[in-house]
Amino acid sequence: MIRMRTFGRLPLGWLRLPVAATVLLIASLGSSTALAAGSTVGFGFDAPDVSGFPTGSVALTGGGAFNLNATAGSVHAGGGFSCTHDVGQAFLAGCLQGEGVRWDTAALLASTTYKCTGAAGEALKPATTGHDTVVIQADFYRAGDANDESFSAQMIVSSRDIADDIQGTQNVWVQGVGCGAAIVHFGA
């Protein structure tokens, strides 16, 4: 039996088209609007498997823009979100396989520390918002919860590997779920 991830009743794969369009829009705006501001950075990403903690995994797509020079920083971003396996711990605890619709940002964070696996022996790693990395506080929504967030957790999206102590490329992190590889684009 073939299982297909879904977004509501639509296959999750359809989200890749809006993400690609967002990345292209950000890239085209980057040459005029973002450069005029001097500190606005656009980003887009597709992370099909973020995992590493004892239970659960999520798929994320999305993008947006953030401004490093605004008072306390500013961010406007969002995208699609789906729990691909039940999450049993921390910030997304209770998100069941197939649940999840979208995510959006609550705040731009200057930095955070994180673990990809949650293992006691794994060292905390630092991440700082900059021209190739964004650290955000994100709200996650399930169908039926309308505009009331179902979960809230920190996220990191980066164009580079954020966990060189773990095999493979890890450039997206979700607090309490873990890290994963993603197609990522940043543009200023």
PDB file of all heavy atoms in Angstrom, residues 50-94:
ATOM      1  N   VAL A  50      12.206  16.068   8.898  1.00  0.00           N
ATOM      2  CA  VAL A  50      12.900  16.614  10.061  1.00  0.00           C
ATOM      3  C   VAL A  50      12.608  15.661  11.210  1.00  0.00           C
ATOM      4  O   VAL A  50      11.444  15.437  11.569  1.00  0.00           O
ATOM      5  CB  VAL A  50      12.407  18.043  10.387  1.00  0.00           C
ATOM      6  CG1 VAL A  50      13.055  18.561  11.651  1.00  0.00           C
ATOM      7  CG2 VAL A  50      12.657  18.965   9.209  1.00  0.00           C
ATOM      8  N   SER A  51      13.681  15.082  11.781  1.00  0.00           N
ATOM      9  CA  SER A  51      13.499  14.086  12.836  1.00  0.00           C
ATOM     10  C   SER A  51      14.793  13.971  13.644  1.00  0.00           C
ATOM     11  O   SER A  51      15.733  14.710  13.408  1.00  0.00           O
ATOM     12  CB  SER A  51      13.127  12.724  12.229  1.00  0.00           C
ATOM     13  OG  SER A  51      14.154  12.276  11.368  1.00  0.00           O
ATOM     14  N   GLY A  52      14.828  13.026  14.561  1.00  0.00           N
ATOM     15  CA  GLY A  52      16.031  12.794  15.361  1.00  0.00           C
ATOM     16  C   GLY A  52      15.740  12.550  16.826  1.00  0.00           C
ATOM     17  O   GLY A  52      16.471  11.848  17.502  1.00  0.00           O
ATOM     18  N   PHE A  53      14.673  13.142  17.353  1.00  0.00           N
ATOM     19  CA  PHE A  53      14.296  12.907  18.737  1.00  0.00           C
ATOM     20  C   PHE A  53      13.649  11.521  18.837  1.00  0.00           C
ATOM     21  O   PHE A  53      13.368  10.897  17.808  1.00  0.00           O
ATOM     22  CB  PHE A  53      13.352  14.013  19.220  1.00  0.00           C
ATOM     23  CG  PHE A  53      14.074  15.207  19.788  1.00  0.00           C
ATOM     24  CD1 PHE A  53      14.955  15.942  19.018  1.00  0.00           C
ATOM     25  CD2 PHE A  53      13.877  15.581  21.101  1.00  0.00           C
ATOM     26  CE1 PHE A  53      15.633  17.028  19.542  1.00  0.00           C
ATOM     27  CE2 PHE A  53      14.541  16.677  21.654  1.00  0.00           C
ATOM     28  CZ  PHE A  53      15.420  17.397  20.870  1.00  0.00           C
ATOM     29  N   PRO A  54      13.398  11.017  20.043  1.00  0.00           N
ATOM     30  CA  PRO A  54      12.903   9.638  20.180  1.00  0.00           C
ATOM     31  C   PRO A  54      11.666   9.300  19.347  1.00  0.00           C
ATOM     32  O   PRO A  54      11.564   8.191  18.843  1.00  0.00           O
ATOM     33  CB  PRO A  54      12.603   9.522  21.676  1.00  0.00           C
ATOM     34  CG  PRO A  54      13.578  10.459  22.310  1.00  0.00           C
ATOM     35  CD  PRO A  54      13.665  11.615  21.347  1.00  0.00           C
ATOM     36  N   THR A  55      10.735  10.225  19.210  1.00  0.00           N
ATOM     37  CA  THR A  55       9.549   9.929  18.397  1.00  0.00           C
ATOM     38  C   THR A  55       9.247  11.108  17.483  1.00  0.00           C
ATOM     39  O   THR A  55       9.555  12.253  17.792  1.00  0.00           O
ATOM     40  CB  THR A  55       8.298   9.669  19.267  1.00  0.00           C
ATOM     41  OG1 THR A  55       7.948  10.869  19.959  1.00  0.00           O
ATOM     42  CG2 THR A  55       8.526   8.553  20.273  1.00  0.00           C
ATOM     43  N   GLY A  56       8.656  10.804  16.373  1.00  0.00           N
ATOM     44  CA  GLY A  56       8.101  11.815  15.499  1.00  0.00           C
ATOM     45  C   GLY A  56       9.003  12.329  14.408  1.00  0.00           C
ATOM     46  O   GLY A  56      10.231  12.244  14.478  1.00  0.00           O
ATOM     47  N   SER A  57       8.357  12.848  13.382  1.00  0.00           N
ATOM     48  CA  SER A  57       9.024  13.557  12.299  1.00  0.00           C
ATOM     49  C   SER A  57       8.006  14.486  11.653  1.00  0.00           C
ATOM     50  O   SER A  57       6.796  14.260  11.736  1.00  0.00           O
ATOM     51  CB  SER A  57       9.608  12.589  11.268  1.00  0.00           C
ATOM     52  OG  SER A  57       8.599  11.825  10.663  1.00  0.00           O
ATOM     53  N   VAL A  58       8.519  15.546  11.037  1.00  0.00           N
ATOM     54  CA  VAL A  58       7.652  16.512  10.360  1.00  0.00           C
ATOM     55  C   VAL A  58       8.218  16.828   8.980  1.00  0.00           C
ATOM     56  O   VAL A  58       9.409  16.669   8.729  1.00  0.00           O
ATOM     57  CB  VAL A  58       7.480  17.821  11.164  1.00  0.00           C
ATOM     58  CG1 VAL A  58       6.835  17.560  12.518  1.00  0.00           C
ATOM     59  CG2 VAL A  58       8.795  18.554  11.330  1.00  0.00           C
ATOM     60  N   ALA A  59       7.338  17.275   8.106  1.00  0.00           N
ATOM     61  CA  ALA A  59       7.716  17.810   6.800  1.00  0.00           C
ATOM     62  C   ALA A  59       7.308  19.274   6.795  1.00  0.00           C
ATOM     63  O   ALA A  59       6.218  19.631   7.270  1.00  0.00           O
ATOM     64  CB  ALA A  59       6.991  17.059   5.685  1.00  0.00           C
ATOM     65  N   LEU A  60       8.193  20.132   6.293  1.00  0.00           N
ATOM     66  CA  LEU A  60       7.942  21.572   6.267  1.00  0.00           C
ATOM     67  C   LEU A  60       8.313  22.139   4.905  1.00  0.00           C
ATOM     68  O   LEU A  60       9.289  21.706   4.300  1.00  0.00           O
ATOM     69  CB  LEU A  60       8.806  22.298   7.299  1.00  0.00           C
ATOM     70  CG  LEU A  60       8.625  21.963   8.760  1.00  0.00           C
ATOM     71  CD1 LEU A  60       9.792  22.483   9.562  1.00  0.00           C
ATOM     72  CD2 LEU A  60       7.343  22.572   9.264  1.00  0.00           C
ATOM     73  N   THR A  61       7.562  23.099   4.456  1.00  0.00           N
ATOM     74  CA  THR A  61       7.921  23.914   3.296  1.00  0.00           C
ATOM     75  C   THR A  61       7.604  25.348   3.662  1.00  0.00           C
ATOM     76  O   THR A  61       6.819  25.611   4.565  1.00  0.00           O
ATOM     77  CB  THR A  61       7.114  23.536   2.040  1.00  0.00           C
ATOM     78  OG1 THR A  61       5.724  23.751   2.310  1.00  0.00           O
ATOM     79  CG2 THR A  61       7.332  22.098   1.637  1.00  0.00           C
ATOM     80  N   GLY A  62       8.212  26.292   2.973  1.00  0.00           N
ATOM     81  CA  GLY A  62       7.839  27.674   3.238  1.00  0.00           C
ATOM     82  C   GLY A  62       8.930  28.650   2.914  1.00  0.00           C
ATOM     83  O   GLY A  62       9.903  28.337   2.232  1.00  0.00           O
ATOM     84  N   GLY A  63       8.750  29.835   3.443  1.00  0.00           N
ATOM     85  CA  GLY A  63       9.713  30.897   3.226  1.00  0.00           C
ATOM     86  C   GLY A  63       9.151  32.220   3.683  1.00  0.00           C
ATOM     87  O   GLY A  63       8.059  32.294   4.243  1.00  0.00           O
ATOM     88  N   GLY A  64       9.922  33.257   3.427  1.00  0.00           N
ATOM     89  CA  GLY A  64       9.519  34.596   3.822  1.00  0.00           C
ATOM     90  C   GLY A  64      10.703  35.532   3.794  1.00  0.00           C
ATOM     91  O   GLY A  64      11.652  35.320   3.039  1.00  0.00           O
ATOM     92  N   ALA A  65      10.652  36.545   4.637  1.00  0.00           N
ATOM     93  CA  ALA A  65      11.729  37.535   4.709  1.00  0.00           C
ATOM     94  C   ALA A  65      11.869  38.020   6.141  1.00  0.00           C
ATOM     95  O   ALA A  65      10.905  38.037   6.908  1.00  0.00           O
ATOM     96  CB  ALA A  65      11.423  38.707   3.790  1.00  0.00           C
ATOM     97  N   PHE A  66      13.112  38.395   6.478  1.00  0.00           N
ATOM     98  CA  PHE A  66      13.369  38.954   7.800  1.00  0.00           C
ATOM     99  C   PHE A  66      14.323  40.124   7.651  1.00  0.00           C
ATOM    100  O   PHE A  66      15.077  40.226   6.692  1.00  0.00           O
ATOM    101  CB  PHE A  66      13.914  37.904   8.782  1.00  0.00           C
ATOM    102  CG  PHE A  66      15.201  37.250   8.370  1.00  0.00           C
ATOM    103  CD1 PHE A  66      16.421  37.690   8.859  1.00  0.00           C
ATOM    104  CD2 PHE A  66      15.189  36.160   7.506  1.00  0.00           C
ATOM    105  CE1 PHE A  66      17.604  37.080   8.489  1.00  0.00           C
ATOM    106  CE2 PHE A  66      16.368  35.529   7.134  1.00  0.00           C
ATOM    107  CZ  PHE A  66      17.582  35.996   7.626  1.00  0.00           C
ATOM    108  N   ASN A  67      14.258  41.046   8.625  1.00  0.00           N
ATOM    109  CA  ASN A  67      15.075  42.244   8.594  1.00  0.00           C
ATOM    110  C   ASN A  67      15.928  42.279   9.849  1.00  0.00           C
ATOM    111  O   ASN A  67      15.412  42.330  10.957  1.00  0.00           O
ATOM    112  CB  ASN A  67      14.193  43.495   8.508  1.00  0.00           C
ATOM    113  CG  ASN A  67      15.002  44.747   8.298  1.00  0.00           C
ATOM    114  OD1 ASN A  67      15.975  44.996   8.994  1.00  0.00           O
ATOM    115  ND2 ASN A  67      14.576  45.536   7.337  1.00  0.00           N
ATOM    116  N   LEU A  68      17.228  42.253   9.664  1.00  0.00           N
ATOM    117  CA  LEU A  68      18.161  42.227  10.792  1.00  0.00           C
ATOM    118  C   LEU A  68      18.286  43.563  11.494  1.00  0.00           C
ATOM    119  O   LEU A  68      18.654  43.621  12.665  1.00  0.00           O
ATOM    120  CB  LEU A  68      19.547  41.794  10.309  1.00  0.00           C
ATOM    121  CG  LEU A  68      19.637  40.405   9.704  1.00  0.00           C
ATOM    122  CD1 LEU A  68      20.979  40.202   9.021  1.00  0.00           C
ATOM    123  CD2 LEU A  68      19.434  39.371  10.795  1.00  0.00           C
ATOM    124  N   ASN A  69      18.010  44.664  10.791  1.00  0.00           N
ATOM    125  CA  ASN A  69      18.226  45.993  11.357  1.00  0.00           C
ATOM    126  C   ASN A  69      16.994  46.614  11.991  1.00  0.00           C
ATOM    127  O   ASN A  69      17.089  47.661  12.604  1.00  0.00           O
ATOM    128  CB  ASN A  69      18.785  46.940  10.296  1.00  0.00           C
ATOM    129  CG  ASN A  69      20.199  46.545   9.904  1.00  0.00           C
ATOM    130  OD1 ASN A  69      20.890  45.871  10.646  1.00  0.00           O
ATOM    131  ND2 ASN A  69      20.603  46.960   8.722  1.00  0.00           N
ATOM    132  N   ALA A  70      15.851  45.999  11.815  1.00  0.00           N
ATOM    133  CA  ALA A  70      14.637  46.556  12.416  1.00  0.00           C
ATOM    134  C   ALA A  70      14.748  46.445  13.938  1.00  0.00           C
ATOM    135  O   ALA A  70      15.450  45.585  14.462  1.00  0.00           O
ATOM    136  CB  ALA A  70      13.408  45.809  11.920  1.00  0.00           C
ATOM    137  N   THR A  71      14.058  47.300  14.654  1.00  0.00           N
ATOM    138  CA  THR A  71      14.054  47.238  16.108  1.00  0.00           C
ATOM    139  C   THR A  71      13.587  45.848  16.526  1.00  0.00           C
ATOM    140  O   THR A  71      12.517  45.417  16.156  1.00  0.00           O
ATOM    141  CB  THR A  71      13.116  48.311  16.694  1.00  0.00           C
ATOM    142  OG1 THR A  71      13.533  49.573  16.197  1.00  0.00           O
ATOM    143  CG2 THR A  71      13.145  48.293  18.208  1.00  0.00           C
ATOM    144  N   ALA A  72      14.431  45.157  17.275  1.00  0.00           N
ATOM    145  CA  ALA A  72      14.175  43.792  17.736  1.00  0.00           C
ATOM    146  C   ALA A  72      14.000  42.818  16.580  1.00  0.00           C
ATOM    147  O   ALA A  72      13.532  41.716  16.775  1.00  0.00           O
ATOM    148  CB  ALA A  72      12.953  43.753  18.653  1.00  0.00           C
ATOM    149  N   GLY A  73      14.365  43.207  15.374  1.00  0.00           N
ATOM    150  CA  GLY A  73      14.226  42.334  14.215  1.00  0.00           C
ATOM    151  C   GLY A  73      12.769  42.175  13.821  1.00  0.00           C
ATOM    152  O   GLY A  73      11.873  42.372  14.622  1.00  0.00           O
ATOM    153  N   SER A  74      12.536  41.849  12.578  1.00  0.00           N
ATOM    154  CA  SER A  74      11.174  41.595  12.115  1.00  0.00           C
ATOM    155  C   SER A  74      11.219  40.434  11.138  1.00  0.00           C
ATOM    156  O   SER A  74      12.225  40.208  10.462  1.00  0.00           O
ATOM    157  CB  SER A  74      10.579  42.836  11.464  1.00  0.00           C
ATOM    158  OG  SER A  74      11.267  43.140  10.264  1.00  0.00           O
ATOM    159  N   VAL A  75      10.129  39.704  11.087  1.00  0.00           N
ATOM    160  CA  VAL A  75      10.045  38.539  10.195  1.00  0.00           C
ATOM    161  C   VAL A  75       8.600  38.373   9.741  1.00  0.00           C
ATOM    162  O   VAL A  75       7.666  38.657  10.490  1.00  0.00           O
ATOM    163  CB  VAL A  75      10.547  37.256  10.905  1.00  0.00           C
ATOM    164  CG1 VAL A  75       9.689  36.897  12.098  1.00  0.00           C
ATOM    165  CG2 VAL A  75      10.634  36.090   9.933  1.00  0.00           C
ATOM    166  N   HIS A  76       8.453  37.963   8.499  1.00  0.00           N
ATOM    167  CA  HIS A  76       7.150  37.581   7.948  1.00  0.00           C
ATOM    168  C   HIS A  76       7.396  36.337   7.120  1.00  0.00           C
ATOM    169  O   HIS A  76       8.034  36.404   6.072  1.00  0.00           O
ATOM    170  CB  HIS A  76       6.550  38.702   7.092  1.00  0.00           C
ATOM    171  CG  HIS A  76       5.193  38.364   6.592  1.00  0.00           C
ATOM    172  ND1 HIS A  76       4.090  38.414   7.391  1.00  0.00           N
ATOM    173  CD2 HIS A  76       4.780  37.922   5.385  1.00  0.00           C
ATOM    174  CE1 HIS A  76       3.027  38.033   6.686  1.00  0.00           C
ATOM    175  NE2 HIS A  76       3.427  37.735   5.470  1.00  0.00           N
ATOM    176  N   ALA A  77       6.950  35.190   7.628  1.00  0.00           N
ATOM    177  CA  ALA A  77       7.203  33.930   6.941  1.00  0.00           C
ATOM    178  C   ALA A  77       6.136  32.908   7.327  1.00  0.00           C
ATOM    179  O   ALA A  77       5.456  33.054   8.337  1.00  0.00           O
ATOM    180  CB  ALA A  77       8.591  33.395   7.296  1.00  0.00           C
ATOM    181  N   GLY A  78       6.028  31.881   6.517  1.00  0.00           N
ATOM    182  CA  GLY A  78       5.092  30.803   6.797  1.00  0.00           C
ATOM    183  C   GLY A  78       5.175  29.749   5.714  1.00  0.00           C
ATOM    184  O   GLY A  78       5.967  29.860   4.778  1.00  0.00           O
ATOM    185  N   GLY A  79       4.358  28.718   5.860  1.00  0.00           N
ATOM    186  CA  GLY A  79       4.358  27.655   4.871  1.00  0.00           C
ATOM    187  C   GLY A  79       3.539  26.467   5.322  1.00  0.00           C
ATOM    188  O   GLY A  79       2.720  26.554   6.230  1.00  0.00           O
ATOM    189  N   GLY A  80       3.778  25.335   4.676  1.00  0.00           N
ATOM    190  CA  GLY A  80       3.061  24.107   4.972  1.00  0.00           C
ATOM    191  C   GLY A  80       3.782  23.263   6.001  1.00  0.00           C
ATOM    192  O   GLY A  80       4.999  23.315   6.132  1.00  0.00           O
ATOM    193  N   PHE A  81       3.011  22.469   6.734  1.00  0.00           N
ATOM    194  CA  PHE A  81       3.548  21.661   7.824  1.00  0.00           C
ATOM    195  C   PHE A  81       2.709  20.398   7.954  1.00  0.00           C
ATOM    196  O   PHE A  81       1.481  20.457   7.850  1.00  0.00           O
ATOM    197  CB  PHE A  81       3.503  22.494   9.111  1.00  0.00           C
ATOM    198  CG  PHE A  81       3.230  21.733  10.373  1.00  0.00           C
ATOM    199  CD1 PHE A  81       4.207  20.926  10.937  1.00  0.00           C
ATOM    200  CD2 PHE A  81       2.010  21.829  11.003  1.00  0.00           C
ATOM    201  CE1 PHE A  81       3.951  20.231  12.106  1.00  0.00           C
ATOM    202  CE2 PHE A  81       1.748  21.154  12.178  1.00  0.00           C
ATOM    203  CZ  PHE A  81       2.722  20.345  12.730  1.00  0.00           C
ATOM    204  N   SER A  82       3.368  19.265   8.161  1.00  0.00           N
ATOM    205  CA  SER A  82       2.660  18.013   8.386  1.00  0.00           C
ATOM    206  C   SER A  82       3.489  17.116   9.291  1.00  0.00           C
ATOM    207  O   SER A  82       4.704  16.996   9.114  1.00  0.00           O
ATOM    208  CB  SER A  82       2.424  17.289   7.059  1.00  0.00           C
ATOM    209  OG  SER A  82       1.795  16.040   7.267  1.00  0.00           O
ATOM    210  N   CYS A  83       2.849  16.504  10.277  1.00  0.00           N
ATOM    211  CA  CYS A  83       3.520  15.488  11.081  1.00  0.00           C
ATOM    212  C   CYS A  83       3.498  14.204  10.263  1.00  0.00           C
ATOM    213  O   CYS A  83       2.430  13.712   9.897  1.00  0.00           O
ATOM    214  CB  CYS A  83       2.815  15.292  12.428  1.00  0.00           C
ATOM    215  SG  CYS A  83       3.141  16.652  13.564  1.00  0.00           S
ATOM    216  N   THR A  84       4.671  13.684   9.936  1.00  0.00           N
ATOM    217  CA  THR A  84       4.755  12.477   9.116  1.00  0.00           C
ATOM    218  C   THR A  84       4.827  11.217   9.970  1.00  0.00           C
ATOM    219  O   THR A  84       4.593  10.124   9.461  1.00  0.00           O
ATOM    220  CB  THR A  84       5.957  12.556   8.150  1.00  0.00           C
ATOM    221  OG1 THR A  84       7.134  12.840   8.899  1.00  0.00           O
ATOM    222  CG2 THR A  84       5.739  13.668   7.125  1.00  0.00           C
ATOM    223  N   HIS A  85       5.150  11.359  11.253  1.00  0.00           N
ATOM    224  CA  HIS A  85       5.075  10.302  12.259  1.00  0.00           C
ATOM    225  C   HIS A  85       4.691  10.969  13.577  1.00  0.00           C
ATOM    226  O   HIS A  85       5.054  12.118  13.825  1.00  0.00           O
ATOM    227  CB  HIS A  85       6.414   9.571  12.417  1.00  0.00           C
ATOM    228  CG  HIS A  85       6.773   8.749  11.227  1.00  0.00           C
ATOM    229  ND1 HIS A  85       7.535   9.234  10.198  1.00  0.00           N
ATOM    230  CD2 HIS A  85       6.448   7.481  10.898  1.00  0.00           C
ATOM    231  CE1 HIS A  85       7.681   8.300   9.275  1.00  0.00           C
ATOM    232  NE2 HIS A  85       7.028   7.229   9.666  1.00  0.00           N
ATOM    233  N   ASP A  86       3.951  10.259  14.427  1.00  0.00           N
ATOM    234  CA  ASP A  86       3.475  10.815  15.699  1.00  0.00           C
ATOM    235  C   ASP A  86       4.624  11.399  16.516  1.00  0.00           C
ATOM    236  O   ASP A  86       5.649  10.750  16.703  1.00  0.00           O
ATOM    237  CB  ASP A  86       2.807   9.735  16.553  1.00  0.00           C
ATOM    238  CG  ASP A  86       1.560   9.142  15.915  1.00  0.00           C
ATOM    239  OD1 ASP A  86       1.171   9.579  14.817  1.00  0.00           O
ATOM    240  OD2 ASP A  86       0.982   8.218  16.524  1.00  0.00           O
ATOM    241  N   VAL A  87       4.430  12.629  17.027  1.00  0.00           N
ATOM    242  CA  VAL A  87       5.414  13.284  17.891  1.00  0.00           C
ATOM    243  C   VAL A  87       4.950  13.097  19.331  1.00  0.00           C
ATOM    244  O   VAL A  87       3.823  13.450  19.672  1.00  0.00           O
ATOM    245  CB  VAL A  87       5.561  14.782  17.550  1.00  0.00           C
ATOM    246  CG1 VAL A  87       6.569  15.443  18.489  1.00  0.00           C
ATOM    247  CG2 VAL A  87       5.966  14.972  16.092  1.00  0.00           C
ATOM    248  N   GLY A  88       5.830  12.551  20.168  1.00  0.00           N
ATOM    249  CA  GLY A  88       5.436  12.228  21.535  1.00  0.00           C
ATOM    250  C   GLY A  88       6.122  13.036  22.611  1.00  0.00           C
ATOM    251  O   GLY A  88       5.960  12.748  23.785  1.00  0.00           O
ATOM    252  N   GLN A  89       6.920  14.027  22.245  1.00  0.00           N
ATOM    253  CA  GLN A  89       7.634  14.782  23.271  1.00  0.00           C
ATOM    254  C   GLN A  89       7.681  16.266  22.926  1.00  0.00           C
ATOM    255  O   GLN A  89       7.493  16.658  21.784  1.00  0.00           O
ATOM    256  CB  GLN A  89       9.064  14.258  23.462  1.00  0.00           C
ATOM    257  CG  GLN A  89      10.032  14.530  22.326  1.00  0.00           C
ATOM    258  CD  GLN A  89       9.871  13.567  21.157  1.00  0.00           C
ATOM    259  OE1 GLN A  89       9.669  12.389  21.359  1.00  0.00           O
ATOM    260  NE2 GLN A  89       9.933  14.069  19.943  1.00  0.00           N
ATOM    261  N   ALA A  90       7.945  17.024  23.956  1.00  0.00           N
ATOM    262  CA  ALA A  90       8.252  18.460  23.870  1.00  0.00           C
ATOM    263  C   ALA A  90       7.151  19.276  23.213  1.00  0.00           C
ATOM    264  O   ALA A  90       5.977  19.034  23.433  1.00  0.00           O
ATOM    265  CB  ALA A  90       9.610  18.678  23.204  1.00  0.00           C
ATOM    266  N   PHE A  91       7.540  20.205  22.380  1.00  0.00           N
ATOM    267  CA  PHE A  91       6.676  21.282  21.916  1.00  0.00           C
ATOM    268  C   PHE A  91       5.601  20.862  20.919  1.00  0.00           C
ATOM    269  O   PHE A  91       4.574  21.501  20.819  1.00  0.00           O
ATOM    270  CB  PHE A  91       7.540  22.411  21.347  1.00  0.00           C
ATOM    271  CG  PHE A  91       8.500  22.936  22.369  1.00  0.00           C
ATOM    272  CD1 PHE A  91       9.780  22.405  22.476  1.00  0.00           C
ATOM    273  CD2 PHE A  91       8.113  23.904  23.264  1.00  0.00           C
ATOM    274  CE1 PHE A  91      10.653  22.861  23.445  1.00  0.00           C
ATOM    275  CE2 PHE A  91       8.975  24.368  24.242  1.00  0.00           C
ATOM    276  CZ  PHE A  91      10.253  23.839  24.329  1.00  0.00           C
ATOM    277  N   LEU A  92       5.824  19.800  20.143  1.00  0.00           N
ATOM    278  CA  LEU A  92       4.822  19.312  19.204  1.00  0.00           C
ATOM    279  C   LEU A  92       4.180  18.018  19.687  1.00  0.00           C
ATOM    280  O   LEU A  92       3.556  17.291  18.923  1.00  0.00           O
ATOM    281  CB  LEU A  92       5.421  19.126  17.803  1.00  0.00           C
ATOM    282  CG  LEU A  92       5.383  20.352  16.896  1.00  0.00           C
ATOM    283  CD1 LEU A  92       6.289  21.451  17.370  1.00  0.00           C
ATOM    284  CD2 LEU A  92       5.705  19.992  15.472  1.00  0.00           C
ATOM    285  N   ALA A  93       4.316  17.708  20.987  1.00  0.00           N
ATOM    286  CA  ALA A  93       3.741  16.481  21.551  1.00  0.00           C
ATOM    287  C   ALA A  93       2.250  16.420  21.252  1.00  0.00           C
ATOM    288  O   ALA A  93       1.527  17.394  21.436  1.00  0.00           O
ATOM    289  CB  ALA A  93       3.977  16.427  23.058  1.00  0.00           C
ATOM    290  N   GLY A  94       1.816  15.273  20.754  1.00  0.00           N
ATOM    291  CA  GLY A  94       0.403  15.089  20.430  1.00  0.00           C
ATOM    292  C   GLY A  94       0.079  15.314  18.970  1.00  0.00           C
ATOM    293  O   GLY A  94      -1.050  15.059  18.541  1.00  0.00           O
TER     294      GLY A  94
END
